[in-house]
Amino acid sequence: MALTEGAGLGAWGAQGAAPGRAPRRWALALLGLTAALSWPRASGGLSRRHWPVPYKRFSFRPEPDPYCQAKYTFCPAGSPIPVMKSEDVIEVFRLQAPVWEFKYGDLLGHLKIMHDAIGFKSTLTGKNYTMEWYELFQLGNCTFPHLRPEMNAPFWCNQGAACFFEGIDDVHWKENGTLVLVATISGSTFNKMAKWVKQDNETGIYYETWTVQASPIKGAETWFESYDCSKFVLRTYEKLAEFGAEFKKIETNYTRIFLYSGEPTYLGNETSIFGPIGNKTLASAIKKFYYPFKPHLSSKEFLLSLLQIFDSVIMHRCFYLFYNFEYWFLPMKFPFIKITYEEIPLPNRQKTFTSL
């Protein structure tokens, strides 16, 4: 099960692109994309001073639009999260493997582009489980929109969700990645976590690829935070620590994709930009920006698109970011884009436990 009680998780890159729509080859684009694109700012655009911009949560998860289809089915083996006996002892495992390992083997692992998940094992039953969070329609659809001729505004197929299923594929996680015990919890703590996962999954509905910062320097201003598989794992670890879990002292690293820019400018939402009385110049600029990222490209078109991206992003130093269903202008700065694999420590057990 994926979007019901036992909802799952997402990984930014565990899958591919939408069926009937060729993969966006996002990995190649990211590696070739050393910069950001440039078009005019919205006149009179307001700049928000609260950084990073809080990720917007929702009261319920909407039904996906039928137009949005996945080449690889989301959470095909999903099942409800079981209720554990209070006296059970549950082992918690850190799981990490190269993105798209099923297709490219350990290739992206050499670049430290990794997918994260969590494993559990019940000592009472001997059963083990995997929990992860990833995109419903693959990474390309979450990062870039479709430009549909019948629609004036870019169309986004962007949802991410949790996936829970029985079993841990030891070979998958161990061969080119990580499968290591990080904590031991009680059955009652596991049940509290399961309740929180359901709530988190219902309110955090969309995927965000980019972390946007002022520079690579430590302590630099963060404008926007990503919301991906690793962030789900980190949130889950923090919640387990709140419930009293004690984590081992081991190094844990995560992949992050950064964009670097000056202070962003708020541009507006779909209605204010693309609506009947919207900003036609800005609307045209945003669609022009996203055009090179479209799917179904021939080799020649793909190379031409990379040149257009390079020109827009690096030469003109501009990027249009879609975040919280709103558009922002990013005045890009060197080094423009960077993929890092950095340590984020496991949380410390909290003395005062919080409620759900």
Side-chain angles (χ1 to χ4, degrees):
M1 88 100 241
L3 301 181
T4 59
E5 280 191 308
L9 1 147
W12 64 260
Q15 320 289 342
R21 301 172 183 84
R24 295 178 183 272
R25 309 181 203 184
W26 67 273
L28 290 175
L30 286 175
L31 296 174
L33 180 76
T34 342
L37 292 135
S38 164
W39 279 280
R41 302 182 188 219
S43 56
L46 298 178
S47 178
R48 296 181 179 178
R49 299 295 178 182
H50 183 186
W51 308 111
V53 173
Y55 174 89
K56 184 178 180 181
R57 289 188 171 267
F58 296 80
S59 56
F60 67 96
R61 177 180 290 276
E63 286 293 320
D65 190 291
Y67 179 87
C68 300
Q69 300 290 326
K71 184 174 183 178
Y72 303 98
T73 304
F74 172 80
C75 201
S79 59
I81 302 179
V83 177
M84 301 294 188
K85 293 184 177 179
S86 299
E87 66 272 21
D88 199 350
V89 176
I90 312 293
E91 294 177 326
V92 182
F93 296 91
R94 177 175 187 248
L95 308 179
Q96 189 175 73
V99 165
W100 290 343
E101 186 181 33
F102 71 98
K103 190 170 184 179
Y104 299 117
D106 67 343
L107 175 63
L108 295 178
H110 292 300
L111 302 170
K112 296 300 182 185
I113 301 177
M114 309 294 281
H115 168 56
D116 297 277
I118 306 175
F120 302 97
K121 181 178 180 180
S122 163
T123 56
L124 273 183
T125 66
K127 290 183 177 181
N128 51 35
Y129 306 90
T130 299
M131 185 169 75
E132 52 188 341
W133 194 97
Y134 59 92
E135 327 88 28
L136 270 64
F137 314 112
Q138 282 79 66
L139 181 67
N141 283 309
C142 292
T143 309
F144 305 109
H146 291 261
L147 300 179
R148 299 170 63 178
E150 72 276 18
M151 291 185 171
N152 192 37
F155 181 81
W156 293 85
C157 291
N158 186 355
Q159 279 199 46
C163 176
F164 186 94
F165 56 94
E166 186 173 338
I168 296 177
D169 185 348
D170 288 21
V171 174
H172 170 68
W173 301 107
K174 281 182 178 179
E175 192 171 41
N176 299 307
T178 301
L179 195 165
V180 61
L181 181 70
V182 293
T184 303
I185 61 176
S186 67
S188 59
T189 296
F190 178 92
N191 295 336
K192 288 180 186 178
M193 179 211 69
K195 215 173 153 187
W196 169 81
V197 167
K198 183 174 184 294
Q199 179 190 63
D200 182 77
N201 190 63
E202 288 174 348
T203 60
I205 66 171
Y206 74 93
Y207 187 99
E208 179 52 52
T209 302
W210 315 104
T211 296
V212 186
Q213 284 190 343
S215 79
I217 298 170
K218 188 175 181 180
E221 186 83 65
T222 298
W223 311 120
F224 301 93
E225 291 278 10
S226 61
Y227 198 88
D228 55 19
C229 64
S230 64
K231 285 300 180 77
F232 174 83
V233 169
L234 290 166
R235 289 197 307 279
T236 304
Y237 287 163
E238 289 289 348
K239 188 56 64 172
L240 287 173
E242 286 184 28
F243 294 148
E246 207 160 326
F247 286 87
K248 293 179 176 293
K249 304 297 181 186
I250 60 173
E251 182 176 330
T252 52
N253 292 62
Y254 303 88
T255 302
R256 302 178 76 188
I257 305 179
F258 288 90
L259 295 177
Y260 299 107
S261 82
E263 184 170 341
T265 300
Y266 175 70
L267 301 176
N269 58 27
E270 181 177 311
T271 302
S272 67
I273 297 172
F274 300 95
I277 56 172
N279 186 326
K280 287 188 171 64
T281 302
L282 177 60
S284 175
I286 291 174
K287 287 194 285 187
K288 184 180 178 183
F289 169 82
Y290 284 124
Y291 184 80
F293 297 98
K294 66 179 181 177
H296 268 325
L297 296 176
S298 66
S299 298
K300 182 178 178 181
E301 289 173 326
F302 180 67
L303 290 173
L304 180 60
S305 291
L306 280 182
L307 289 175
Q308 292 173 325
I309 292 166
F310 182 87
D311 178 68
S312 304
V313 177
I314 295 188
M315 303 308 295
H316 291 91
R317 303 196 171 206
C318 157
F319 196 101
Y320 288 108
L321 179 73
F322 188 64
Y323 195 90
N324 284 347
F325 296 92
E326 297 174 315
Y327 289 90
W328 296 76
F329 173 82
L330 306 181
M332 299 299 289
K333 294 163 56 177
F334 183 84
F336 308 109
I337 184 170
K338 190 175 182 181
I339 299 173
T340 68
Y341 186 67
E342 57 189 55
E343 182 181 8
I344 301 176
L346 289 163
N348 293 318
R349 176 175 178 172
Q350 299 189 12
K351 293 179 182 178
T352 304
F353 303 155
T354 63
S355 64
L356 284 172

